[in-house]
Amino acid sequence: MNAPKEPSFRESVDLMFNRAVALMDLPPGLEEKIRVCNATYTVRFGVRLRGQIHTFTGYRSVHSEHMEPVKGGIRFAMGVNQDEVEALAALMTYKCALVEAPFGGSKGGLRIDPREWDAHELEQITRRFAYELAKRDLIHPSQNVPAPDMGTGEREMAWIADQYKRMNTTDINSRACVTGKPINAGGIQGRTEATGRGVQYALQEFFRHPEDIAKAGLSGSLDGKRVIVQGLGNVGYHAAKFLQEEDGCKVTAIIERDGGLMDEDGLDVEAIRNWIAKHGGVDGYPKGKFIRDGSKYLENECDILIPAALEGVINMSNAADIKAPLIIEAANGPVTAGADQILREKGCVIIPDMYANAGGVTVSYFEWVKNLSHIRFGRLGRRQEEARHQLIVDELHKLDEHLGEKWSMSPDFKQKYLRGAGELELVRSGLDDTMRAAYQSMRETWHSGENVDDLRTAAYLVSIGKVADSYRALGL
Ligand code: GLU
């Protein structure tokens, strides 16, 4: 007997989409219009490096333009291909709709191993790719706004922003052509941590609902929960760090490119991140049990599994062996459609990617608004807020003196209360609010009793509903 075939990433997203639309009553044709990718641009360009011309292949796919600009990261990886960018662009459409970021979905990729090139070479390659995209308005503040993804970060976004600026010298909004920039190039506080922070806020919200916790066969709070993280890149690192330092979770295994580390007593996320930065991998780290085939640790007993690296890591070959009762998809597409079915049948609860990793694009949205408004959040109101708080503190001081022994202000109350919110506090507040609201809309559908037995289908239903409403408003 032939083993069932694993669908491609894009087919996997389509299968999940189809499962949800089967429960909806969309007009004929609209379903197809929403599902398909509008356009994918492929570019091949040459850059003279190390004495010879190297040809690179890049893509920018636009999935849905029901809202513009369209939004989504640019990834630098050898595995980049058209199927992958199209799947990722589709996920961006659903993600933005779910968290109410007013964008359509897009994604880009460049087939390159960024570790093979030095910074100067990467700058030349990135600028050339940005030039090719900007020339066709595939980078543009009101049409298409990229962001970081795997293999890219602040540095690449700064090059892209500068390249766009050079080509559009009189565009006052040029900084809004890309998000995820460094602060000094128009970025926003909290963007780098945003996706990992969003994963933390998503879990915090999940654990506010005893009914949902029970569905995963868990109980209690996040405190003491055993967590396994796959991928200690920007997303996995921040998620694991915050859960460990602020919520009392125990990180019992970390899986990286070169192998996995396990320690039931808990691993030190910060120390391991530093080790990786110095040694290029987790091998040789003095604590925990190392194995070369780290993916085996995906199958360990734990409470929460966080795949935060590549797509398709939980697939039909290992899904049956996954023991985690709760999976939160910090990466895009880490669970294939086939694995999703196996896990659902086992009763595993999956907090889906389009919600779980939406923190990045949410804060990108704030950055884009900041760039268009040309002012930092909190700049106008902060001192005013502090002055008003000072009035209350002064009154409380009087009360304190008057009441003598009977009452006194808690020691750190004054300091905490007096501090007005700066940009970082406002960004975190906006992100937390977004993650709570999106979860609630998803769980309402999940518990609606209308054949929706998982959060992923619920997420698709909510977001497809929103995209369909936009299309209707456009007269389609
Ligand atoms: N690359 C991130 C994602 O997959 C962020 C996209 C953005 O900020 O536009 O969601």
Side-chain angles (χ1 to χ4, degrees):
M1 197 182 77
N2 285 337
K5 197 175 151 291
E6 195 87 65
S8 75
F9 187 10
R10 195 178 50 75
E11 286 164 348
S12 210
V13 171
D14 285 351
L15 283 169
M16 292 167 178
F17 174 93
N18 291 343
R19 224 172 88 78
V21 285
L23 303 171
M24 296 177 86
D25 194 17
L26 290 180
L30 185 55
E31 174 187 321
E32 162 94 352
K33 174 70 206 78
I34 297 176
R35 185 176 47 76
V36 298
C37 218
N38 289 3
T40 302
Y41 172 67
T42 307
V43 61
R44 294 181 189 87
F45 58 90
V47 185
R48 179 172 284 281
L49 299 159
R50 302 177 192 174
Q52 75 181 81
I53 293 176
H54 293 262
T55 303
F56 297 91
T57 306
Y59 305 89
R60 186 77 180 160
S61 174
V62 174
H63 174 259
S64 176
E65 289 147 293
H66 67 290
M67 284 198 189
E68 284 181 313
V70 293
K71 190 91 190 74
I74 289 182
R75 92 173 24 178
F76 283 4
M78 282 312 282
V80 163
N81 59 68
Q82 182 166 345
D83 187 279
E84 182 189 61
V85 284
E86 290 188 355
L88 292 164
L91 282 174
M92 284 310 302
T93 296
Y94 309 133
K95 191 184 306 194
C96 291
L98 185 66
V99 294
E100 299 190 339
F103 304 126
S106 183
K107 199 81 172 201
L110 185 65
R111 199 180 301 148
I112 185 177
D113 180 353
R115 285 165 306 177
E116 276 186 14
W117 304 95
D118 67 31
H120 178 66
E121 292 165 334
L122 272 175
E123 178 173 350
Q124 285 175 271
I125 300 163
T126 306
R127 282 184 180 275
R128 182 60 203 277
F129 185 35
Y131 170 80
E132 295 294 334
L133 296 181
K135 207 162 68 171
R136 292 164 180 87
D137 291 340
L138 290 166
I139 297 177
H140 191 286
S142 66
Q143 298 196 14
N144 198 325
V145 182
D149 200 81
M150 259 172 55
T152 57
E154 286 191 342
R155 181 182 67 170
E156 288 73 16
M157 300 307 116
W159 292 332
I160 293 174
D162 186 64
Q163 185 63 34
Y164 179 86
K165 174 84 189 153
R166 288 185 189 193
M167 296 164 72
N168 299 272
T169 48
T170 56
D171 184 349
I172 193 171
N173 290 321
S174 67
R175 280 183 155 179
C177 76
V178 66
T179 58
K181 302 176 292 291
I183 298 290
N184 62 13
I188 195 167
Q189 300 279 351
R191 175 60 185 87
T192 305
E193 65 166 45
T195 313
R197 185 62 82 182
V199 171
Q200 176 198 28
Y201 289 161
L203 281 171
Q204 287 177 351
E205 181 57 20
F206 180 87
F207 277 87
R208 284 190 194 102
H209 302 279
E211 212 182 321
D212 303 2
I213 305 170
K215 273 203 185 238
L218 292 166
S219 61
S221 67
L222 271 172
D223 191 32
K225 292 284 178 293
R226 295 163 304 163
V227 173
I228 295 178
V229 190
Q230 191 217 21
L232 215 58
N234 182 42
V235 180
Y237 160 67
H238 282 107
K241 174 184 160 77
F242 298 144
L243 287 166
Q244 177 171 73
E245 290 174 3
E246 298 169 19
D247 298 290
C249 290
K250 205 154 71 170
V251 179
T252 53
I254 288 175
I255 303 156
E256 257 294 318
R257 208 186 307 258
D258 67 325
L261 283 174
M262 182 197 65
D263 187 347
E264 282 302 320
D265 295 327
L267 293 159
D268 182 341
V269 174
E270 196 62 43
I272 295 174
R273 171 86 165 180
N274 290 337
W275 181 271
I276 296 171
K278 230 194 243 151
H279 301 91
V282 289
D283 193 3
Y285 183 72
K287 291 190 194 130
K289 186 170 166 351
F290 173 83
I291 53 167
R292 185 61 66 195
D293 179 11
S295 67
K296 276 276 149 247
Y297 284 160
L298 289 170
E299 298 162 18
N300 279 14
E301 297 265 357
C302 67
D303 300 308
I304 306 168
L305 176 60
I306 312 183
L310 264 181
E311 58 259 18
V313 292
I314 300 174
N315 48 50
M316 278 147 86
S317 73
N318 62 357
D321 299 313
I322 301 286
K323 293 172 199 69
L326 178 62
I327 298 178
I328 179 159
E329 296 181 326
N332 286 308
V335 176
T336 65
D340 189 66
Q341 187 181 346
I342 298 170
L343 290 163
R344 254 186 289 122
E345 283 163 7
K346 290 206 314 180
C348 170
V349 171
I350 302 177
I351 304 179
D353 47 8
M354 76 173 76
Y355 166 69
N357 68 39
V361 76
T362 299
V363 177
S364 276
Y365 169 37
F366 303 155
E367 180 176 334
W368 181 71
V369 171
K370 174 187 179 179
N371 295 150
L372 294 177
S373 57
H374 300 269
I375 189 164
R376 158 171 61 79
F377 290 108
R379 181 159 174 188
L380 291 185
R382 183 175 191 170
R383 303 300 165 193
Q384 158 71 356
E385 190 190 346
E386 286 180 1
R388 287 165 67 88
H389 286 181
Q390 186 69 51
L391 288 177
I392 296 199
V393 168
D394 290 347
E395 290 303 309
L396 286 174
H397 258 306
K398 284 191 206 156
L399 200 63
D400 200 354
E401 278 163 21
H402 181 71
L403 290 175
E405 296 280 281
K406 282 192 221 132
W407 181 83
S408 69
M409 266 189 269
S410 312
D412 56 351
F413 165 78
K414 197 170 133 183
Q415 191 209 355
K416 276 198 196 149
Y417 187 70
L418 273 181
R419 225 185 39 188
E423 189 171 74
L424 184 60
E425 289 83 5
L426 292 170
V427 162
R428 286 181 181 161
S429 152
L431 176 58
D432 194 8
D433 186 60
T434 302
M435 296 310 287
R436 289 185 201 216
Y439 185 78
Q440 282 157 21
S441 64
M442 228 166 45
R443 83 179 290 274
E444 215 171 274
T445 306
W446 189 25
H447 297 295
S448 64
E450 288 164 20
N451 293 324
V452 185
D453 48 26
D454 62 315
L455 275 167
R456 190 188 314 278
T457 305
Y460 270 102
L461 286 173
V462 174
S463 61
I464 297 168
K466 289 191 175 152
V467 178
D469 286 346
S470 301
Y471 273 121
R472 278 193 206 99
L474 293 174
L476 250 174

